[in-house]
Amino acid sequence: ITLRHTLEHFYDPAKVLSDLRNRLSKNGRIVIEVPDYGSYDRKKYGTKWPAFGPYHLWYFTQKSLNRILNDCGYEVIYFNKYISELVFGNGTLAHRGLRRAIYLLGGMHWFSGRSIGLIAKKSVPDV
């Protein structure tokens, strides 16, 4: 199941996650990506952070996303933050090369700012 920039739009994300857990197969995975409220970008740009807006009902950090998933019966098996395209852009060869160099040097979280993503599974399999 994939929730790519959707979980923050639901009125009750815990109910959605619980309902989806019931639909997830025994060995299934849920993939979630949301804007990162704890990000470099959010702190740097403040109220001008692109993820602010009337359409986002919830904001998540790594800690809050882990908490809601644990409460809904999931175990996070992979977590990542993504380098912000506001900082490094997407298109030019120089931007792609700089982003790759930062990843290779282990600094992917230095300028992390746009999104957090994870993969989770059921913490306790259904009987």
Side-chain angles (χ1 to χ4, degrees):
I1 296 173
T2 302
L3 295 174
R4 188 168 186 268
H5 288 277
T6 54
L7 188 63
E8 66 274 15
H9 296 272
F10 291 109
Y11 286 108
D12 190 348
K15 180 174 181 349
V16 170
L17 289 169
S18 294
D19 290 346
L20 291 175
R21 186 188 181 284
N22 293 333
R23 294 172 183 246
L24 199 61
S25 67
K26 179 181 175 183
N27 295 314
R29 302 290 186 257
I30 188 165
V31 178
I32 299 173
E33 184 177 325
V34 295
D36 183 5
Y37 186 79
S39 70
Y40 169 84
D41 278 4
R42 204 263 315 148
K43 293 171 186 168
K44 178 179 179 181
Y45 296 106
T47 59
K48 294 183 184 194
W49 183 47
F52 279 135
Y55 42 87
H56 287 165
L57 303 176
W58 296 93
Y59 295 98
F60 297 98
T61 62
Q62 179 179 357
K63 184 177 179 181
S64 67
L65 195 54
N66 275 324
R67 185 181 313 123
I68 195 171
L69 284 163
N70 287 335
D71 290 349
C72 293
Y74 292 93
E75 175 187 345
V76 175
I77 57 176
Y78 176 80
F79 180 86
N80 195 11
K81 294 186 178 188
Y82 300 92
I83 290 179
S84 172
E85 55 274 7
L86 283 179
V87 177
F88 288 109
N90 279 330
T92 70
L93 182 60
H95 283 141
R96 289 193 308 265
L98 185 55
R99 184 182 307 134
R100 179 146 175 78
I102 287 172
Y103 272 107
L104 291 172
L105 293 171
M108 67 181 144
H109 300 294
W110 295 344
F111 297 101
S112 177
R114 214 57 189 289
S115 299
I116 52 179
L118 60 83
I119 301 171
K121 65 179 184 175
K122 292 180 180 183
S123 59
V124 179
D126 294 330
V127 179

Short mmCIF file of all heavy atoms in Angstrom, two decimals, residues 29-95:
data_model
loop_
_atom_site.label_atom_id
_atom_site.label_comp_id
_atom_site.label_asym_id
_atom_site.label_seq_id
_atom_site.Cartn_x
_atom_site.Cartn_y
_atom_site.Cartn_z
N ARG A 29 3.53 -4.57 2.89
CA ARG A 29 4.25 -3.39 3.37
C ARG A 29 3.41 -2.15 3.05
O ARG A 29 2.67 -2.12 2.08
CB ARG A 29 5.61 -3.24 2.68
CG ARG A 29 6.55 -4.44 2.85
CD ARG A 29 7.03 -4.55 4.28
NE ARG A 29 8.02 -5.57 4.46
CZ ARG A 29 7.79 -6.76 4.99
NH1 ARG A 29 6.57 -7.10 5.37
NH2 ARG A 29 8.76 -7.63 5.15
N ILE A 30 3.60 -1.14 3.86
CA ILE A 30 3.01 0.17 3.58
C ILE A 30 4.15 1.15 3.38
O ILE A 30 5.12 1.14 4.15
CB ILE A 30 2.03 0.62 4.70
CG1 ILE A 30 1.29 1.89 4.27
CG2 ILE A 30 2.72 0.78 6.03
CD1 ILE A 30 0.07 2.21 5.13
N VAL A 31 4.05 1.94 2.33
CA VAL A 31 5.06 2.94 2.00
C VAL A 31 4.42 4.30 2.20
O VAL A 31 3.35 4.57 1.64
CB VAL A 31 5.54 2.78 0.54
CG1 VAL A 31 6.55 3.86 0.18
CG2 VAL A 31 6.12 1.39 0.31
N ILE A 32 5.06 5.13 3.00
CA ILE A 32 4.49 6.45 3.32
C ILE A 32 5.54 7.52 3.06
O ILE A 32 6.70 7.37 3.43
CB ILE A 32 4.05 6.51 4.80
CG1 ILE A 32 2.96 5.47 5.06
CG2 ILE A 32 3.57 7.91 5.16
CD1 ILE A 32 2.57 5.34 6.52
N GLU A 33 5.09 8.60 2.42
CA GLU A 33 5.93 9.77 2.24
C GLU A 33 5.09 10.98 2.61
O GLU A 33 3.94 11.11 2.18
CB GLU A 33 6.40 9.88 0.80
CG GLU A 33 7.36 11.02 0.57
CD GLU A 33 7.87 11.07 -0.86
OE1 GLU A 33 8.06 10.02 -1.47
OE2 GLU A 33 8.06 12.19 -1.35
N VAL A 34 5.64 11.84 3.46
CA VAL A 34 4.96 13.06 3.91
C VAL A 34 5.96 14.20 3.98
O VAL A 34 7.16 13.98 4.09
CB VAL A 34 4.30 12.86 5.31
CG1 VAL A 34 3.18 11.84 5.26
CG2 VAL A 34 5.33 12.49 6.35
N PRO A 35 5.48 15.45 3.96
CA PRO A 35 6.39 16.57 4.20
C PRO A 35 6.99 16.45 5.60
O PRO A 35 6.33 15.98 6.53
CB PRO A 35 5.48 17.79 4.12
CG PRO A 35 4.30 17.35 3.34
CD PRO A 35 4.12 15.90 3.67
N ASP A 36 8.24 16.85 5.75
CA ASP A 36 8.95 16.72 7.02
C ASP A 36 8.88 18.02 7.81
O ASP A 36 9.61 18.97 7.54
CB ASP A 36 10.40 16.34 6.75
CG ASP A 36 11.20 16.12 8.02
OD1 ASP A 36 10.63 16.16 9.12
OD2 ASP A 36 12.42 15.89 7.90
N TYR A 37 8.03 18.06 8.83
CA TYR A 37 7.87 19.25 9.65
C TYR A 37 9.14 19.57 10.44
O TYR A 37 9.40 20.73 10.76
CB TYR A 37 6.69 19.09 10.62
CG TYR A 37 6.39 20.35 11.38
CD1 TYR A 37 5.69 21.39 10.79
CD2 TYR A 37 6.83 20.50 12.69
CE1 TYR A 37 5.43 22.56 11.49
CE2 TYR A 37 6.58 21.68 13.39
CZ TYR A 37 5.88 22.70 12.78
OH TYR A 37 5.64 23.86 13.46
N GLY A 38 9.95 18.58 10.71
CA GLY A 38 11.19 18.79 11.45
C GLY A 38 12.38 19.12 10.56
O GLY A 38 13.52 19.10 11.00
N SER A 39 12.11 19.44 9.32
CA SER A 39 13.16 19.59 8.32
C SER A 39 13.95 20.89 8.39
O SER A 39 13.51 21.89 8.96
CB SER A 39 12.54 19.47 6.93
OG SER A 39 11.75 20.62 6.67
N TYR A 40 15.07 20.86 7.74
CA TYR A 40 15.90 22.04 7.55
C TYR A 40 15.10 23.12 6.82
O TYR A 40 15.11 24.29 7.20
CB TYR A 40 17.15 21.65 6.74
CG TYR A 40 17.95 22.82 6.25
CD1 TYR A 40 18.90 23.43 7.07
CD2 TYR A 40 17.79 23.30 4.97
CE1 TYR A 40 19.65 24.50 6.62
CE2 TYR A 40 18.53 24.37 4.50
CZ TYR A 40 19.45 24.97 5.33
OH TYR A 40 20.19 26.03 4.88
N ASP A 41 14.41 22.72 5.75
CA ASP A 41 13.63 23.69 4.97
C ASP A 41 12.57 24.38 5.82
O ASP A 41 12.41 25.59 5.75
CB ASP A 41 12.91 23.01 3.80
CG ASP A 41 13.79 22.81 2.60
OD1 ASP A 41 14.99 23.11 2.68
OD2 ASP A 41 13.27 22.34 1.58
N ARG A 42 11.83 23.61 6.60
CA ARG A 42 10.76 24.20 7.41
C ARG A 42 11.33 25.21 8.40
O ARG A 42 10.80 26.29 8.58
CB ARG A 42 9.97 23.11 8.15
CG ARG A 42 8.56 23.55 8.52
CD ARG A 42 8.35 24.06 9.92
NE ARG A 42 8.98 23.24 10.94
CZ ARG A 42 9.45 23.77 12.06
NH1 ARG A 42 9.40 25.06 12.29
NH2 ARG A 42 10.01 23.00 12.96
N LYS A 43 12.46 24.86 8.98
CA LYS A 43 13.10 25.78 9.93
C LYS A 43 13.66 27.02 9.22
O LYS A 43 13.55 28.13 9.73
CB LYS A 43 14.19 25.06 10.70
CG LYS A 43 13.63 23.98 11.62
CD LYS A 43 14.72 23.13 12.21
CE LYS A 43 14.12 21.97 12.99
NZ LYS A 43 15.11 20.97 13.34
N LYS A 44 14.24 26.81 8.06
CA LYS A 44 14.84 27.92 7.33
C LYS A 44 13.79 28.87 6.76
O LYS A 44 13.91 30.09 6.86
CB LYS A 44 15.72 27.40 6.19
CG LYS A 44 16.33 28.52 5.38
CD LYS A 44 17.22 28.01 4.28
CE LYS A 44 17.78 29.21 3.50
NZ LYS A 44 18.64 28.80 2.42
N TYR A 45 12.74 28.32 6.15
CA TYR A 45 11.76 29.14 5.44
C TYR A 45 10.57 29.55 6.30
O TYR A 45 9.77 30.37 5.89
CB TYR A 45 11.29 28.43 4.17
CG TYR A 45 12.41 28.23 3.19
CD1 TYR A 45 12.98 26.97 2.99
CD2 TYR A 45 12.93 29.30 2.48
CE1 TYR A 45 14.03 26.79 2.11
CE2 TYR A 45 13.99 29.13 1.60
CZ TYR A 45 14.52 27.88 1.42
OH TYR A 45 15.56 27.70 0.55
N GLY A 46 10.46 28.97 7.49
CA GLY A 46 9.38 29.35 8.40
C GLY A 46 8.01 29.26 7.75
O GLY A 46 7.67 28.26 7.15
N THR A 47 7.24 30.33 7.84
CA THR A 47 5.88 30.32 7.30
C THR A 47 5.85 30.29 5.78
O THR A 47 4.78 30.09 5.19
CB THR A 47 5.09 31.55 7.79
OG1 THR A 47 5.78 32.73 7.38
CG2 THR A 47 4.92 31.53 9.30
N LYS A 48 7.00 30.44 5.13
CA LYS A 48 7.06 30.36 3.67
C LYS A 48 7.43 28.95 3.18
O LYS A 48 7.66 28.75 1.99
CB LYS A 48 8.04 31.40 3.13
CG LYS A 48 7.54 32.80 3.39
CD LYS A 48 8.46 33.82 2.81
CE LYS A 48 7.89 35.15 3.24
NZ LYS A 48 8.38 36.28 2.60
N TRP A 49 7.51 28.02 4.11
CA TRP A 49 7.79 26.63 3.75
C TRP A 49 6.71 26.15 2.79
O TRP A 49 5.51 26.32 3.06
CB TRP A 49 7.81 25.79 5.02
CG TRP A 49 8.16 24.35 4.87
CD1 TRP A 49 9.19 23.82 4.16
CD2 TRP A 49 7.48 23.25 5.47
NE1 TRP A 49 9.21 22.46 4.30
CE2 TRP A 49 8.16 22.08 5.09
CE3 TRP A 49 6.37 23.13 6.30
CZ2 TRP A 49 7.77 20.81 5.50
CZ3 TRP A 49 5.98 21.88 6.72
CH2 TRP A 49 6.67 20.73 6.32
N PRO A 50 7.08 25.58 1.64
CA PRO A 50 6.09 25.20 0.63
C PRO A 50 5.03 24.19 1.10
O PRO A 50 3.95 24.14 0.53
CB PRO A 50 6.94 24.59 -0.49
CG PRO A 50 8.29 25.15 -0.30
CD PRO A 50 8.45 25.37 1.18
N ALA A 51 5.32 23.43 2.12
CA ALA A 51 4.35 22.42 2.57
C ALA A 51 3.25 22.99 3.46
O ALA A 51 2.29 22.30 3.76
CB ALA A 51 5.05 21.28 3.30
N PHE A 52 3.38 24.26 3.89
CA PHE A 52 2.30 24.87 4.65
C PHE A 52 1.16 25.19 3.71
O PHE A 52 1.37 25.58 2.57
CB PHE A 52 2.76 26.14 5.35
CG PHE A 52 3.50 25.91 6.63
CD1 PHE A 52 4.66 26.60 6.89
CD2 PHE A 52 3.05 25.01 7.57
CE1 PHE A 52 5.36 26.41 8.06
CE2 PHE A 52 3.75 24.80 8.75
CZ PHE A 52 4.89 25.50 8.99
N GLY A 53 -0.02 25.03 4.19
CA GLY A 53 -1.18 25.38 3.37
C GLY A 53 -2.45 24.84 3.99
O GLY A 53 -2.41 23.96 4.85
N PRO A 54 -3.57 25.34 3.54
CA PRO A 54 -4.85 24.93 4.12
C PRO A 54 -5.22 23.49 3.79
O PRO A 54 -6.08 22.91 4.43
CB PRO A 54 -5.85 25.90 3.47
CG PRO A 54 -5.19 26.32 2.20
CD PRO A 54 -3.72 26.31 2.48
N TYR A 55 -4.57 22.88 2.84
CA TYR A 55 -4.89 21.52 2.42
C TYR A 55 -4.18 20.47 3.26
O TYR A 55 -4.52 19.30 3.19
CB TYR A 55 -4.55 21.34 0.94
CG TYR A 55 -3.24 21.98 0.56
CD1 TYR A 55 -2.05 21.30 0.69
CD2 TYR A 55 -3.21 23.31 0.11
CE1 TYR A 55 -0.85 21.90 0.37
CE2 TYR A 55 -2.00 23.91 -0.22
CZ TYR A 55 -0.83 23.20 -0.09
OH TYR A 55 0.35 23.81 -0.41
N HIS A 56 -3.19 20.82 4.05
CA HIS A 56 -2.53 19.87 4.94
C HIS A 56 -3.14 20.01 6.33
O HIS A 56 -3.04 21.04 6.96
CB HIS A 56 -1.02 20.12 5.02
CG HIS A 56 -0.30 19.69 3.79
ND1 HIS A 56 0.99 20.09 3.52
CD2 HIS A 56 -0.66 18.90 2.77
CE1 HIS A 56 1.38 19.55 2.38
NE2 HIS A 56 0.40 18.84 1.90
N LEU A 57 -3.76 18.93 6.78
CA LEU A 57 -4.43 18.93 8.08
C LEU A 57 -3.49 18.51 9.20
O LEU A 57 -3.74 18.81 10.36
CB LEU A 57 -5.64 18.01 8.05
CG LEU A 57 -6.68 18.34 6.96
CD1 LEU A 57 -7.78 17.30 6.94
CD2 LEU A 57 -7.23 19.74 7.15
N TRP A 58 -2.43 17.78 8.86
CA TRP A 58 -1.47 17.27 9.84
C TRP A 58 -0.06 17.51 9.33
O TRP A 58 0.19 17.53 8.13
CB TRP A 58 -1.66 15.76 10.05
CG TRP A 58 -2.98 15.44 10.64
CD1 TRP A 58 -4.12 15.12 9.95
CD2 TRP A 58 -3.32 15.42 12.02
NE1 TRP A 58 -5.15 14.91 10.83
CE2 TRP A 58 -4.69 15.09 12.11
CE3 TRP A 58 -2.62 15.66 13.18
CZ2 TRP A 58 -5.35 14.98 13.32
CZ3 TRP A 58 -3.27 15.55 14.38
CH2 TRP A 58 -4.62 15.21 14.44
N TYR A 59 0.87 17.64 10.26
CA TYR A 59 2.29 17.74 9.94
C TYR A 59 3.02 16.71 10.79
O TYR A 59 2.72 16.53 11.96
CB TYR A 59 2.81 19.15 10.25
CG TYR A 59 2.17 20.17 9.35
CD1 TYR A 59 1.10 20.92 9.79
CD2 TYR A 59 2.64 20.36 8.05
CE1 TYR A 59 0.49 21.84 8.96
CE2 TYR A 59 2.04 21.29 7.22
CZ TYR A 59 0.97 22.02 7.67
OH TYR A 59 0.37 22.93 6.84
N PHE A 60 3.98 16.03 10.17
CA PHE A 60 4.67 14.94 10.83
C PHE A 60 6.17 15.18 10.89
O PHE A 60 6.76 15.73 9.96
CB PHE A 60 4.42 13.62 10.09
CG PHE A 60 2.99 13.20 10.07
CD1 PHE A 60 2.19 13.46 8.97
CD2 PHE A 60 2.43 12.53 11.15
CE1 PHE A 60 0.86 13.07 8.95
CE2 PHE A 60 1.11 12.14 11.15
CZ PHE A 60 0.32 12.41 10.04
N THR A 61 6.77 14.70 11.97
CA THR A 61 8.21 14.59 12.10
C THR A 61 8.51 13.09 12.11
O THR A 61 7.59 12.27 12.17
CB THR A 61 8.71 15.21 13.42
OG1 THR A 61 8.12 14.49 14.51
CG2 THR A 61 8.36 16.69 13.51
N GLN A 62 9.78 12.73 12.11
CA GLN A 62 10.13 11.32 12.19
C GLN A 62 9.54 10.71 13.47
O GLN A 62 8.96 9.63 13.43
CB GLN A 62 11.64 11.15 12.17
CG GLN A 62 12.07 9.70 12.29
CD GLN A 62 13.57 9.52 12.23
OE1 GLN A 62 14.32 10.48 12.04
NE2 GLN A 62 14.04 8.31 12.39
N LYS A 63 9.65 11.42 14.57
CA LYS A 63 9.17 10.91 15.85
C LYS A 63 7.64 10.75 15.85
O LYS A 63 7.13 9.71 16.28
CB LYS A 63 9.61 11.85 16.97
CG LYS A 63 9.25 11.38 18.35
CD LYS A 63 9.79 12.35 19.40
CE LYS A 63 9.42 11.90 20.80
NZ LYS A 63 9.91 12.83 21.82
N SER A 64 6.92 11.75 15.37
CA SER A 64 5.45 11.66 15.41
C SER A 64 4.93 10.60 14.44
O SER A 64 3.95 9.91 14.73
CB SER A 64 4.81 13.02 15.14
OG SER A 64 5.04 13.45 13.82
N LEU A 65 5.58 10.46 13.30
CA LEU A 65 5.16 9.44 12.34
C LEU A 65 5.43 8.04 12.90
O LEU A 65 4.58 7.15 12.79
CB LEU A 65 5.88 9.65 11.02
CG LEU A 65 5.35 8.93 9.80
CD1 LEU A 65 3.87 9.19 9.58
CD2 LEU A 65 6.13 9.35 8.56
N ASN A 66 6.58 7.86 13.52
CA ASN A 66 6.87 6.57 14.17
C ASN A 66 5.84 6.26 15.26
O ASN A 66 5.38 5.12 15.39
CB ASN A 66 8.27 6.56 14.78
CG ASN A 66 9.33 6.18 13.79
OD1 ASN A 66 9.12 5.35 12.92
ND2 ASN A 66 10.48 6.81 13.90
N ARG A 67 5.48 7.27 16.04
CA ARG A 67 4.53 7.07 17.13
C ARG A 67 3.16 6.64 16.62
O ARG A 67 2.58 5.67 17.11
CB ARG A 67 4.39 8.34 17.96
CG ARG A 67 3.50 8.14 19.18
CD ARG A 67 3.31 9.39 20.03
NE ARG A 67 4.55 10.08 20.30
CZ ARG A 67 4.78 11.36 19.99
NH1 ARG A 67 3.86 12.10 19.42
NH2 ARG A 67 5.94 11.93 20.29
N ILE A 68 2.64 7.34 15.62
CA ILE A 68 1.32 6.99 15.11
C ILE A 68 1.33 5.60 14.46
O ILE A 68 0.39 4.84 14.60
CB ILE A 68 0.77 8.08 14.14
CG1 ILE A 68 -0.74 7.88 13.91
CG2 ILE A 68 1.51 8.12 12.84
CD1 ILE A 68 -1.40 9.01 13.17
N LEU A 69 2.41 5.26 13.78
CA LEU A 69 2.50 3.94 13.18
C LEU A 69 2.57 2.85 14.25
O LEU A 69 1.89 1.82 14.14
CB LEU A 69 3.71 3.85 12.24
CG LEU A 69 3.49 4.56 10.92
CD1 LEU A 69 4.82 4.79 10.22
CD2 LEU A 69 2.55 3.77 10.03
N ASN A 70 3.36 3.05 15.29
CA ASN A 70 3.43 2.08 16.39
C ASN A 70 2.08 1.92 17.06
O ASN A 70 1.65 0.80 17.35
CB ASN A 70 4.48 2.49 17.42
CG ASN A 70 5.89 2.30 16.92
OD1 ASN A 70 6.14 1.48 16.04
ND2 ASN A 70 6.81 3.08 17.44
N ASP A 71 1.38 3.03 17.29
CA ASP A 71 0.06 2.99 17.92
C ASP A 71 -0.95 2.23 17.06
O ASP A 71 -1.91 1.66 17.58
CB ASP A 71 -0.47 4.40 18.18
CG ASP A 71 0.29 5.12 19.29
OD1 ASP A 71 1.09 4.46 20.01
OD2 ASP A 71 0.09 6.34 19.43
N CYS A 72 -0.74 2.24 15.74
CA CYS A 72 -1.67 1.58 14.82
C CYS A 72 -1.23 0.17 14.46
O CYS A 72 -1.83 -0.47 13.58
CB CYS A 72 -1.85 2.42 13.56
SG CYS A 72 -2.68 3.99 13.88
N GLY A 73 -0.18 -0.34 15.11
CA GLY A 73 0.23 -1.72 14.90
C GLY A 73 1.23 -1.97 13.80
O GLY A 73 1.27 -3.05 13.23
N TYR A 74 2.05 -0.98 13.51
CA TYR A 74 3.08 -1.13 12.48
C TYR A 74 4.47 -1.09 13.11
O TYR A 74 4.67 -0.51 14.17
CB TYR A 74 3.02 0.03 11.47
CG TYR A 74 1.80 0.04 10.59
CD1 TYR A 74 0.68 0.78 10.95
CD2 TYR A 74 1.77 -0.64 9.38
CE1 TYR A 74 -0.44 0.84 10.14
CE2 TYR A 74 0.65 -0.60 8.56
CZ TYR A 74 -0.44 0.15 8.94
OH TYR A 74 -1.55 0.20 8.13
N GLU A 75 5.41 -1.65 12.37
CA GLU A 75 6.83 -1.56 12.71
C GLU A 75 7.56 -0.96 11.52
O GLU A 75 7.46 -1.48 10.39
CB GLU A 75 7.39 -2.96 12.99
CG GLU A 75 8.87 -3.00 13.24
CD GLU A 75 9.41 -4.43 13.34
OE1 GLU A 75 8.62 -5.37 13.50
OE2 GLU A 75 10.64 -4.57 13.25
N VAL A 76 8.27 0.14 11.73
CA VAL A 76 9.01 0.77 10.65
C VAL A 76 10.26 -0.05 10.36
O VAL A 76 11.03 -0.36 11.27
CB VAL A 76 9.39 2.23 11.02
CG1 VAL A 76 10.27 2.85 9.94
CG2 VAL A 76 8.13 3.07 11.23
N ILE A 77 10.44 -0.43 9.09
CA ILE A 77 11.61 -1.24 8.72
C ILE A 77 12.61 -0.46 7.87
O ILE A 77 13.73 -0.89 7.68
CB ILE A 77 11.19 -2.54 8.01
CG1 ILE A 77 10.34 -2.26 6.78
CG2 ILE A 77 10.46 -3.45 8.98
CD1 ILE A 77 9.98 -3.50 5.98
N TYR A 78 12.21 0.71 7.37
CA TYR A 78 13.12 1.56 6.60
C TYR A 78 12.64 3.00 6.73
O TYR A 78 11.45 3.27 6.64
CB TYR A 78 13.14 1.15 5.13
CG TYR A 78 14.01 2.06 4.27
CD1 TYR A 78 15.39 1.90 4.25
CD2 TYR A 78 13.44 3.07 3.52
CE1 TYR A 78 16.19 2.75 3.49
CE2 TYR A 78 14.23 3.91 2.75
CZ TYR A 78 15.59 3.75 2.74
OH TYR A 78 16.39 4.58 1.99
N PHE A 79 13.57 3.92 6.92
CA PHE A 79 13.25 5.33 7.04
C PHE A 79 14.28 6.15 6.28
O PHE A 79 15.47 5.82 6.30
CB PHE A 79 13.25 5.75 8.52
CG PHE A 79 12.92 7.20 8.71
CD1 PHE A 79 11.60 7.60 8.80
CD2 PHE A 79 13.92 8.15 8.75
CE1 PHE A 79 11.29 8.94 8.94
CE2 PHE A 79 13.61 9.50 8.90
CZ PHE A 79 12.28 9.89 9.00
N ASN A 80 13.85 7.22 5.60
CA ASN A 80 14.78 8.08 4.88
C ASN A 80 14.24 9.50 4.84
O ASN A 80 13.04 9.72 4.91
CB ASN A 80 14.98 7.56 3.46
CG ASN A 80 16.19 8.19 2.79
OD1 ASN A 80 17.00 8.86 3.42
ND2 ASN A 80 16.30 7.97 1.50
N LYS A 81 15.16 10.45 4.74
CA LYS A 81 14.82 11.85 4.50
C LYS A 81 15.39 12.19 3.14
O LYS A 81 16.40 11.64 2.73
CB LYS A 81 15.42 12.75 5.58
CG LYS A 81 14.82 12.51 6.94
CD LYS A 81 15.35 13.52 7.93
CE LYS A 81 14.70 13.30 9.28
NZ LYS A 81 15.03 14.36 10.22
N TYR A 82 14.75 13.13 2.46
CA TYR A 82 15.14 13.46 1.10
C TYR A 82 15.73 14.85 1.03
O TYR A 82 15.19 15.79 1.61
CB TYR A 82 13.93 13.37 0.17
CG TYR A 82 13.34 12.00 0.18
CD1 TYR A 82 12.31 11.67 1.06
CD2 TYR A 82 13.83 11.02 -0.66
CE1 TYR A 82 11.79 10.40 1.09
CE2 TYR A 82 13.31 9.74 -0.64
CZ TYR A 82 12.29 9.44 0.24
OH TYR A 82 11.77 8.18 0.27
N ILE A 83 16.83 15.01 0.29
CA ILE A 83 17.44 16.32 0.10
C ILE A 83 16.44 17.23 -0.60
O ILE A 83 15.82 16.84 -1.57
CB ILE A 83 18.74 16.21 -0.71
CG1 ILE A 83 19.81 15.53 0.14
CG2 ILE A 83 19.22 17.59 -1.16
CD1 ILE A 83 21.12 15.36 -0.56
N SER A 84 16.35 18.42 -0.11
CA SER A 84 15.37 19.37 -0.61
C SER A 84 15.71 19.87 -2.00
O SER A 84 16.82 20.29 -2.28
CB SER A 84 15.31 20.57 0.33
OG SER A 84 14.52 21.58 -0.23
N GLU A 85 14.71 19.86 -2.87
CA GLU A 85 14.90 20.44 -4.19
C GLU A 85 14.95 21.97 -4.12
O GLU A 85 15.44 22.62 -5.03
CB GLU A 85 13.83 19.97 -5.17
CG GLU A 85 12.41 20.19 -4.75
CD GLU A 85 11.84 19.07 -3.89
OE1 GLU A 85 12.55 18.15 -3.49
OE2 GLU A 85 10.65 19.16 -3.60
N LEU A 86 14.49 22.56 -3.01
CA LEU A 86 14.64 24.01 -2.85
C LEU A 86 16.10 24.38 -2.68
O LEU A 86 16.52 25.46 -3.08
CB LEU A 86 13.86 24.51 -1.62
CG LEU A 86 12.37 24.63 -1.76
CD1 LEU A 86 11.76 25.12 -0.44
CD2 LEU A 86 11.99 25.57 -2.88
N VAL A 87 16.87 23.49 -2.08
CA VAL A 87 18.27 23.78 -1.83
C VAL A 87 19.12 23.42 -3.05
O VAL A 87 20.01 24.15 -3.44
CB VAL A 87 18.77 23.01 -0.59
CG1 VAL A 87 20.26 23.24 -0.36
CG2 VAL A 87 17.98 23.43 0.64
N PHE A 88 18.83 22.29 -3.67
CA PHE A 88 19.68 21.80 -4.76
C PHE A 88 19.02 21.67 -6.10
O PHE A 88 19.63 21.20 -7.04
CB PHE A 88 20.28 20.44 -4.38
CG PHE A 88 21.33 20.56 -3.33
CD1 PHE A 88 21.10 20.11 -2.06
CD2 PHE A 88 22.53 21.16 -3.61
CE1 PHE A 88 22.06 20.24 -1.08
CE2 PHE A 88 23.50 21.29 -2.64
CZ PHE A 88 23.27 20.83 -1.38
N GLY A 89 17.77 22.04 -6.23
CA GLY A 89 17.12 21.94 -7.52
C GLY A 89 17.01 20.51 -8.01
O GLY A 89 17.45 19.58 -7.34
N ASN A 90 16.42 20.32 -9.16
CA ASN A 90 16.21 18.97 -9.68
C ASN A 90 16.89 18.72 -11.02
O ASN A 90 17.26 17.62 -11.32
CB ASN A 90 14.72 18.68 -9.84
CG ASN A 90 14.07 18.29 -8.55
OD1 ASN A 90 14.71 17.72 -7.70
ND2 ASN A 90 12.82 18.64 -8.40
N GLY A 91 17.04 19.75 -11.83
CA GLY A 91 17.32 19.48 -13.22
C GLY A 91 18.75 19.49 -13.68
O GLY A 91 19.13 18.66 -14.48
N THR A 92 19.57 20.41 -13.23
CA THR A 92 20.88 20.57 -13.86
C THR A 92 21.84 19.46 -13.47
O THR A 92 21.73 18.85 -12.41
CB THR A 92 21.51 21.93 -13.49
OG1 THR A 92 21.88 21.90 -12.11
CG2 THR A 92 20.57 23.09 -13.77
N LEU A 93 22.77 19.24 -14.35
CA LEU A 93 23.80 18.23 -14.10
C LEU A 93 24.60 18.58 -12.84
O LEU A 93 24.92 17.71 -12.03
CB LEU A 93 24.73 18.13 -15.31
CG LEU A 93 25.83 17.09 -15.24
CD1 LEU A 93 25.24 15.70 -15.06
CD2 LEU A 93 26.69 17.14 -16.49
N ALA A 94 24.89 19.87 -12.64
CA ALA A 94 25.63 20.30 -11.44
C ALA A 94 24.85 19.99 -10.17
O ALA A 94 25.43 19.50 -9.19
CB ALA A 94 25.93 21.79 -11.53
N HIS A 95 23.54 20.24 -10.17
CA HIS A 95 22.72 19.95 -9.00
C HIS A 95 22.69 18.45 -8.71
O HIS A 95 22.84 18.02 -7.57
CB HIS A 95 21.29 20.45 -9.18
CG HIS A 95 21.17 21.92 -8.99
ND1 HIS A 95 20.34 22.69 -9.77
CD2 HIS A 95 21.77 22.78 -8.13
CE1 HIS A 95 20.43 23.95 -9.39
NE2 HIS A 95 21.29 24.02 -8.40
#
